[in-house]
């Protein structure tokens, strides 16, 4: 009995010791340094140092934040309809969401990447992929609007996308799911050897940024998970992680996790480019949408492209090699020098680093370890530069600070680990709250990262914020990485699921941001640039209202002669030429969103009145001291009535 | 050539820079306009300080019933002719006339400029007081009279939510410099004559 009491006592003492220790640690390790608030505080009226473009995941959009404050400035609609901005609702932008499957109002946006010149961010465009119905979008940073979307044929689960080469020669889009190419009706269990993985190289016009599919490399039926371009010495190559080299078509969590090693596919795109420039490749029938928005007509057009150039790796010997990489690698990241290619085996406890120099050497000396469908497999030990041993559990993504350090996220152990390139030693680790996916250092995917902050994007938040029912916000966390140790400075909530982000010094972007659209450049076919031209026209049962808006009235604001059964088009031009004076408009019962029209812009919506009456419309954006007076009436007469078409202002 | 004569030529030619540089500038500051609205007055034109400023000044001013700033006023035709003629006279005097005429030219220029300034003030007064009786917002002075919105002739003035500045610009300094040089030319020429 005494013995038991002693044991209890001992246990109690031990427990209190642990407790005390725990408390003591919390003081020092609570991660927050005392002046964290000061370091993320951007005083009223002052600007953040960086823009962060954070993907919305299942929201389909791209949000714009400031760093270090974590303030949200704008959600740019990309792949999903947005009633606030009439994106995909008004007549002008509906074509932007057209695909070979018809109008698709949603997608899953994952990986933004900023255009580059000579390996450095130039701040002209952000590219981002739509994962579900494969598409690549381009956002023009002079207007912060999506101005081009191209659908990717022969692709499914467009995930190893949208990463740019160092002069923005190409935006690359790799398929995650392999599919029959071309698509056809066939048994699913005949996957092996029949399904293919398309890696798509989209050229970007250096002048106007126009996108075009240059070629598709038709690879074996693996899952192409993520990718990054070579840079510096490795410029001209592109690297893709693969999993499911087992080519399983069911219960992949087990069946695609059998091989000890999958691959990083190294693609010499310069070689393939040369091949296709000399007439190589096969033109294959296809059907995919190419949607372009024009800032002068303020309209989008959608064109269905009917052909795509495909290249079989076997046709271009020496263009593709496979680098064995342990355990279903996820992240595929290339350091600023272009020498190290990092494959994070998500089921491994290690991070594998390949050397570009060693890879070239192995290729030259033909140190092959078999092949997969004719593609040479290099031997693991010949290409491996090193391994970061046991840094954490579930490594995913790596970014770089330009000072010789790499930062890798660990999903399972929920942390960011800082380690040294070359020595592979772990320098520091900081917890994430919780289950971090991607991380982002502004300029991290370039030759010149701005190594001041890292943003970790978490999949789970649980108790980190005030609860909002079963669905709670996802979150980003900002760490200062300017010192030897990382310091957690700030949590901030995100829109949708933040898969990845791209950051850039604000100075590169902000001077180019436009304030208004010049009215004199407005080439919209239904634009009215002077009050004298405001009018209403009838064409059969279509009524076209050519309307203007300026503080604080519509012209015309009294319209009569519309009948039940008519299709009424409001074509509204904002005549303002002053910064930050948008106007909005909507009318009772419109089966669509409002319009939110920027100065100098024209937008249109359709209204199909169903009952006779006099129906008001009004300005939906508080524009001026007389915003409440900015209203009008439209009279709707029965279908058979003879009410004359007329319109007026101020009579 | 004698110094006085050279200075007289300079005096006559300097006001011609009015065709290059603005005469005056009116600037309107308000919290909503971190970049202030501004209008340059040239001898023959009104011009935006930043693109679309005049349009935006008009939009602001229509609330209190002020007329739109006109595209053209008669002065834009008269003033350039006036400046061209006075310069011509100055050159003629410089070539042929005796130095005492330099002084007459100076006095003429002072008178002409004064007339110009009075005209400018009169235009500003009209612009600020000729209000639309249907104005959206009507303001009265403490004494009950209708509030005017005349921009300051010279200096800075608070008008409702705006702070208005009105100052001469390089063109005006060129004109003033030309006039002053006329006087200097007379004084130098006189000394040259006496010392001769």
């Amino acid at each position: 009995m005494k013995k038991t009491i002693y044991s209890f006592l001992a246990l109690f003492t031990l427990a209190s010791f642990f407790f005390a220790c725990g408390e003591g640690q919390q003081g020092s390790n609570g991660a927050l340094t005392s002046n964290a608030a000061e370091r993320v505080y951007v005083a009223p009226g002052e600007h953040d140092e960086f823009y962060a473009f954070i993907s919305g995941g299942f929201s389909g959009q791209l949000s714009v934040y400031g760093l270090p404050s974590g303030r949200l400035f704008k959600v740019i609609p990309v792949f999903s309809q947005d009633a606030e901005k009439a994106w995909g609702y008004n007549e002008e932008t509906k074509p932007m969401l057209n695909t070979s499957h018809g109008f698709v109002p949603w997608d899953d946006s994952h990986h933004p990447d900023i255009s580059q010149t000579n390996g450095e961010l130039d701040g002209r465009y952000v590219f981002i992929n739509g994962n579900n119905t494969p598409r690549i979008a381009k956002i023009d940073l002079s207007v912060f609007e999506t101005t081009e979307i191209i659908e990717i044929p022969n692709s499914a689960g467009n995930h190893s996308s949208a990463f740019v080469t160092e002069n923005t020669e190409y935006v690359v889009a790799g398929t995650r799911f392999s599919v029959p190419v071309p698509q056809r009706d066939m048994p699913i269990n005949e996957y092996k050897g029949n399904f293919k993985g398309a890696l798509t190289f989209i050229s970007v016009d250096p002048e106007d940024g126009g996108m075009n599919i240059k070629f598709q490399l038709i690879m074996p039926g693996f899952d192409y998970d993520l990718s990054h371009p070579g840079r510096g010495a490795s410029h001209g190559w592109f690297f893709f992680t693969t999993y499911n080299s087992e080519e399983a078509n069911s219960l992949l969590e087990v069946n695609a996790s059998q091989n000890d090693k999958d691959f990083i596919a190294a693609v010499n795109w310069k070689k393939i480019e040369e091949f296709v420039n000399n007439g190589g490749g096969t033109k294959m029938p296809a059907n995919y949408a190419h949607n372009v928005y024009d800032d002068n007509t303020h309209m989008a057009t959608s064109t269905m492209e009917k052909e795509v150039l495909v290249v079989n790796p076997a046709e271009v010997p020496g263009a593709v090699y496979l680098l064995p990489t342990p355990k279903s690698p996820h992240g595929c990241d290339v350091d600023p020098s272009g020498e190290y290619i990092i494959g994070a085996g998500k089921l491994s406890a290690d991070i594998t680093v390949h050397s570009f120099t060693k890879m070239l050497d192995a290729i030259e000396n033909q140190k092959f370890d078999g092949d997969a469908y004719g593609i040479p497999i290099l031997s693991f030990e010949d290409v491996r530069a090193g391994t970061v041993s046991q840094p954490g559990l579930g490594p995913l993504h790596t970014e770089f600070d330009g000072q010789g350090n790499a930062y890798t996220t660990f999903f399972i152990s929920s942390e960011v680990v800082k380690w040294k390139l070359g020595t592979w030693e772990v320098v520091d680790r900081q917890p994430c709250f919780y289950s971090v996916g991607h991380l982002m250092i502004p300029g991290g995917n370039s030759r010149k990262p701005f190594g001041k902050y890292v943003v970790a994007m978490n999949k789970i938040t649980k108790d980190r914020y005030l609860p909002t029912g079963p669905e709670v916000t996802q979150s980003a966390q900002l760490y200062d990485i300017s010192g030897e140790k990382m310091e957690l400075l700030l949590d901030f909530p995100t829109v949708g699921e933040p898969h990845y982000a791209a950051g850039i010094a604000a100075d590169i972007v902000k001077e180019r941001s436009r304030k208004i659209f010049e009215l004199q450049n407005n080439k919209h076919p239904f634009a009215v640039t002077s009050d004298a031209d405001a009018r209403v026209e009838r064409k059969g049962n279509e009524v076209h209202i050519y309307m203007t808006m300026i503080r604080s009235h519509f012209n015309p604001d009294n319209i009569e002669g519309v009948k039940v059964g008519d299709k009424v088009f409001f074509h509204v031009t904002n005549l303002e030429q002053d910064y930050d004076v948008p106007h909005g408009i909507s009318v009772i019962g419109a089966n669509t969103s409002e319009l939110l029209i920027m100065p100098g812009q024209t937008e249109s919506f359709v209204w199909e009145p169903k009952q006779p009456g006099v129906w008001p419309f009004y300005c939906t954006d508080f524009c001026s001291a007389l915003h409440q007076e900015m209203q009008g009436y439209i009279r709707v007469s029965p279908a058979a009535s003879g009410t004359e078409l007329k319109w007026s202002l101020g009579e | 050539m004698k110094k006085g004569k050279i200075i007289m030529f300079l005096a006559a030619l300097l006001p011609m820079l009015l065709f290059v540089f603005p005469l005056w500038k009116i600037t309107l500051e308000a919290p909503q306009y971190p970049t202030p609205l501004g209008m340059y007055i040239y001898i023959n034109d009104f011009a935006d300080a930043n693109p679309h400023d005049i349009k935006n000044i008009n939009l602001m001013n229509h609330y209190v019933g002020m007329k739109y700033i006109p595209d053209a006023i008669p002065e834009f035709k008269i003033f350039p002719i006036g400046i061209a003629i006075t310069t011509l006279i100055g050159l003629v005097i410089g070539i042929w006339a005796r130095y005492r005429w330099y002084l007459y030219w100076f006095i003429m220029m002072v008178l002409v400029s004064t007339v110009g300034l009075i005209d400018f003030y009169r235009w500003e007064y009209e612009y600020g007081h000729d209000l639309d009786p249907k104005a959206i917002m009507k303001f009265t002075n403490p004494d009950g009279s209708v509030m005017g919105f005349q921009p300051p002739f010279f200096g800075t003035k608070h008008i409702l939510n705006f702070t208005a500045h009105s100052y001469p610009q390089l063109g005006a300094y060129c004109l003033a410099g030309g006039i002053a040089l006329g006087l200097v030319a007379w004084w130098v020429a006189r000394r040259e004559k006496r010392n001769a």
Side-chain angles (χ1 to χ4, degrees), chain A residues 516 518-519 550-552 575-578 624-626, chain B residues 33 35 37 51-52 55-56 59-60 62-63 136-137:
Chain A
I516 58 165
E518 289 291 333
L519 205 51
I550 194 163
R551 280 163 288 174
S552 302
L575 295 183
E576 303 283 356
Q577 294 286 267
D578 197 357
S624 64
L626 290 133
Chain B
Y33 289 91
T35 306
L37 294 171
H52 310 296
K55 175 176 171 147
N56 292 321
L59 262 172
M60 282 296 107
H62 98 281
Y63 288 115
I136 294 162
M137 291 187 240

Side-chain angles (χ1 to χ4, degrees), chain A residues 308-597:
Chain A
V308 67
L309 187 68
V310 295
V311 175
N312 181 336
E315 297 173 319
V316 198
V320 187
Y321 296 93
L322 299 174
L323 284 57
T325 306
K327 298 314 266 180
S328 302
H330 185 61
C332 182
D333 300 287
V334 180
D335 85 304
S337 74
E339 167 62 10
Y340 297 121
I341 303 127
I342 287 118
K346 61 183 184 280
L347 308 180
S348 160
D350 298 339
I351 304 168
T352 305
V353 184
H354 295 302
S355 154
F356 180 70
T357 319
K358 290 179 88 173
M359 183 190 93
L360 288 187
D361 185 63
I363 292 169
E364 199 175 331
N365 296 308
Q366 308 220 329
K367 293 179 180 167
F368 301 146
D369 194 3
D371 71 282
Y373 297 99
I375 300 170
I377 300 171
L378 300 171
S379 116
F380 178 63
E381 282 307 329
D382 288 332
V383 293
R384 189 178 68 99
T387 296
V388 188
S389 194
Q390 309 267 324
L393 289 174
L396 292 184
H397 303 282
T398 303
E399 296 256 316
F400 310 91
D401 63 6
Q403 310 292 321
N405 299 302
Y407 300 75
T408 302
T409 51
F410 289 82
F411 179 77
I412 300 171
S413 53
S414 191
E415 59 190 335
V416 178
V417 172
K418 174 181 177 180
W419 51 276
K420 268 200 159 39
L421 287 162
T423 66
W424 327 120
E425 62 186 323
V426 170
V427 179
D428 188 27
R429 60 178 68 241
Q430 282 295 329
C432 298
F433 306 92
Y434 307 94
S435 297
V436 61
H438 275 272
L439 77 173
M440 180 276 280
I441 292 172
N445 174 34
S446 77
R447 284 197 210 173
K448 268 206 182 150
F450 307 89
K452 191 168 179 184
Y453 302 109
V454 63
V455 178
M457 284 155 274
N458 302 329
K459 304 296 184 188
I460 296 168
T461 54
K462 305 262 190 197
D463 60 341
R464 293 292 284 186
Y465 298 90
L466 284 175
T468 52
E471 190 195 352
V472 291
T473 185
Q474 302 208 19
S475 171
Q477 295 193 287
L478 182 78
Y479 299 82
D480 184 328
I481 54 166
S482 56
E484 181 75 2
K485 299 273 178 197
M486 297 178 275
E487 293 174 89
L488 176 61
L489 300 180
L490 182 72
D491 276 21
F492 59 94
T494 57
V495 176
E497 180 183 350
H499 276 274
Y500 190 34
I504 183 170
D507 289 340
I508 303 173
V509 174
K510 68 179 183 185
E511 296 309 323
R512 296 183 58 248
S513 181
R514 289 172 66 174
K515 293 185 163 76
I516 58 165
F517 296 104
E518 289 291 333
L519 205 51
Q520 63 186 20
N521 297 338
N522 185 327
K523 302 279 185 292
H524 192 292
F526 290 95
V528 184
T529 53
S530 87
D531 269 330
D533 297 327
R535 64 190 184 275
V536 183
E537 286 176 0
R538 174 179 284 284
K539 282 179 190 152
N541 74 333
E542 278 187 10
V543 175
H544 292 270
I545 304 171
Y546 295 72
M547 184 181 274
T548 64
M549 57 194 348
I550 194 163
R551 280 163 288 174
S552 302
H553 60 266
F554 297 100
N555 185 13
D557 67 359
N558 279 203
I559 299 160
E560 300 196 356
V562 169
K563 295 167 195 170
V564 171
D566 280 347
K567 195 171 179 188
V568 182
F569 289 81
F570 283 77
H571 305 289
V572 193
T573 304
N574 183 345
L575 295 183
E576 303 283 356
Q577 294 286 267
D578 197 357
Y579 192 19
D580 197 14
V581 191
H583 294 287
I585 183 173
S586 193
V587 62
I588 288 187
N591 297 107
T592 186
S593 77
E594 65 149 0
L595 301 178
L596 184 64
I597 309 169

Side-chain angles (χ1 to χ4, degrees), chain A residues 70-85:
Chain A
R71 296 181 296 184
L72 174 66
F73 304 138
K74 183 175 187 176
V75 178
I76 302 170
V78 185
F79 296 114
S80 296
Q81 277 181 299
D82 181 354
E84 174 189 321
K85 297 178 171 63

Side-chain angles (χ1 to χ4, degrees), chain A residues 111-227:
Chain A
H111 309 125
D113 204 11
I114 297 169
S115 57
Q116 298 186 17
T117 303
N118 298 323
E120 293 177 31
L121 304 188
D122 60 25
R124 296 167 72 206
Y125 307 110
V126 179
F127 298 91
I128 189 166
N129 56 322
N131 202 48
N132 182 53
T133 304
R135 286 174 279 179
I136 297 292
K138 181 183 79 195
I139 290 105
D140 183 334
L141 290 185
S142 67
V143 288
F144 284 68
E145 282 176 2
T146 307
T147 54
E148 193 170 0
I149 294 181
I150 192 163
E151 190 181 356
I152 313 295
N154 300 324
S155 178
N158 173 34
H159 194 267
S160 36
S161 323
F163 302 103
V164 299
T165 54
E166 72 172 26
N167 285 301
T168 321
E169 296 96 335
Y170 293 99
V171 182
V172 175
T175 194
R176 179 162 138 225
F177 310 131
S178 282
V179 287
V181 175
Q183 271 291 3
R184 60 193 178 272
D185 175 21
M186 64 174 282
I188 298 170
N189 64 12
E190 289 172 20
Y191 180 118
K192 212 168 214 168
N194 289 314
F195 283 33
K196 298 289 174 197
L199 307 179
T200 306
F201 285 72
I202 302 160
S203 62
V204 179
D205 188 299
E207 290 305 310
D208 63 13
M211 297 194 289
N212 236 318
I213 296 181
K214 177 88 171 177
F215 61 86
Q216 288 194 308
L217 185 64
I218 305 298
M219 295 283 286
F222 310 151
D223 286 38
Y224 295 84
D225 205 11
L226 274 158
S227 67

Side-chain angles (χ1 to χ4, degrees), chain A residues 249-269:
Chain A
N249 59 280
S250 183
L251 195 64
L252 265 68
E253 66 171 320
V254 175
N255 295 331
S257 305
Q258 296 307 305
N259 288 349
D260 184 49
K261 291 190 180 66
D262 296 276
F263 304 111
I264 285 179
V267 175
N268 186 336
W269 57 260

